[in-house]
Amino acid sequence: LAKTTQPISMDSYEGQEVNITCSHNNIATNDYITWYQQFPSQGPRFIIQGYKTKVTNEVASLFIPADRKSSTLSLPRVSLSDTAVYYCLVGGAGGKLIFGQGTELSVKP
Amino acid sequence: DVKVTQSSRYLVKRTGEKVFLECVQDMDHENMFWYRQDPGLGLRLIYFSYDVKMKEKGDIPEGYSVSREKKERFSLILESASTNQTSMYLCASSTSGQGNQPQHFGDGTRLSIL
């Protein structure tokens, strides 16, 4: 099973670009990479998903190198409301979905 | 809009009690999941179900069972609650059990076992 590793915490300032990297050395051929955002007292919320190369939506970009052993979530121009925990998820035929431990992002004014 | 509803936000039970956590989704999703979330450990999969009456164990199924009698409802059962099952429990649903579609989460049940 693919285990994921993320930084435990990160600090940033409003207006900056934030990049959070997730390592998943044992990712399987059929595994997708998904990122979620979680605020206190709420369930995780889907941000973005990818399989390879680069994916972009209205809130984030996801960069996946050719070997797929890591991925980077990029949040452009963060605001205070982006303060949250971000989870990297790799999975998963058979429902074997592995969440990372999460990165606590703190955005300061 | 997608909706996953967990029956209780907070629940306090005693050791040895049988505890039921209920989850309902309104999206007609085949796949439903139960996770527990603990500080420093992230989310860990307890069980998931890919169809009515079908289930598979996740990473930490010990001490838990599940029931899926109807497509929209997935129940987590603690047969004999213990203090180490004090945790936040999250339910999710998805069109896919393969990880290639987003999971939609409820807001969780914070369970305390005394």
Side-chain angles (χ1 to χ4, degrees):
Chain A
L1 299 176
K3 176 179 167 57
T4 62
T5 304
Q6 306 173 232
I8 293 174
S9 63
M10 295 181 69
D11 291 330
S12 182
Y13 291 93
E14 283 191 291
Q16 288 187 332
E17 178 185 76
V18 171
N19 296 305
I20 306 174
T21 297
C22 179
S23 297
H24 28 80
N25 291 321
N26 296 324
I27 190 169
T29 303
N30 295 330
D31 286 346
Y32 279 72
I33 301 155
T34 313
W35 285 81
Y36 290 82
Q37 176 192 57
Q38 187 177 25
F39 298 111
S41 301
Q42 293 185 21
R45 187 182 66 167
F46 172 81
I47 302 173
I48 197 166
Q49 183 179 69
Y51 183 78
K52 61 181 178 179
T53 64
K54 177 184 175 182
V55 179
T56 297
N57 63 20
E58 63 276 9
V59 298
S61 294
L62 178 60
F63 299 92
I64 305 170
D67 65 6
R68 303 203 325 125
K69 293 183 184 296
S70 66
S71 59
T72 298
L73 174 72
S74 181
L75 304 172
R77 298 179 299 281
V78 294
S79 65
L80 296 176
S81 63
D82 292 317
T83 293
V85 179
Y86 292 82
Y87 287 97
C88 167
L89 172 63
V90 176
K96 298 300 182 183
L97 303 167
I98 309 295
F99 273 81
Q101 293 189 14
T103 298
E104 190 168 354
L105 174 65
S106 177
V107 180
K108 302 173 183 177
Chain B
D1 198 11
V2 166
K3 187 74 174 177
V4 176
T5 303
Q6 295 184 231
S7 55
S8 304
R9 291 300 302 273
Y10 301 93
L11 207 54
V12 180
K13 296 291 183 181
R14 296 202 174 275
T15 303
E17 279 193 69
K18 190 169 186 175
V19 180
F20 294 86
L21 302 183
E22 307 287 344
C23 175
V24 177
Q25 51 99 359
D26 65 358
M27 297 158 286
D28 203 35
H29 286 167
E30 288 79 16
N31 302 276
M32 296 187 74
F33 309 82
W34 274 107
Y35 296 88
R36 66 176 281 177
Q37 183 173 30
D38 300 290
L41 297 177
L43 278 76
R44 293 179 292 167
L45 180 65
I46 305 172
Y47 268 99
F48 81 100
S49 169
Y50 52 91
D51 203 348
V52 174
K53 297 189 186 295
M54 307 304 289
K55 63 185 179 184
E56 283 203 20
K57 294 179 180 179
D59 296 318
I60 52 166
E62 296 78 19
Y64 303 94
S65 63
V66 290
S67 173
R68 184 119 180 252
E69 297 296 320
K70 293 184 177 182
K71 191 174 187 179
E72 67 272 17
R73 187 179 297 271
F74 192 33
S75 302
L76 180 69
I77 304 158
L78 287 67
E79 295 289 343
S80 179
S82 64
T83 55
N84 62 12
Q85 293 178 308
T86 291
S87 186
M88 170 69 86
Y89 289 87
L90 289 158
C91 174
S93 73
S94 176
T95 56
S96 170
Q98 304 300 309
N100 58 348
Q101 293 294 329
Q103 292 188 21
H104 302 274
F105 285 84
D107 282 335
T109 296
R110 188 166 294 281
L111 176 64
S112 295
I113 307 297
L114 304 179

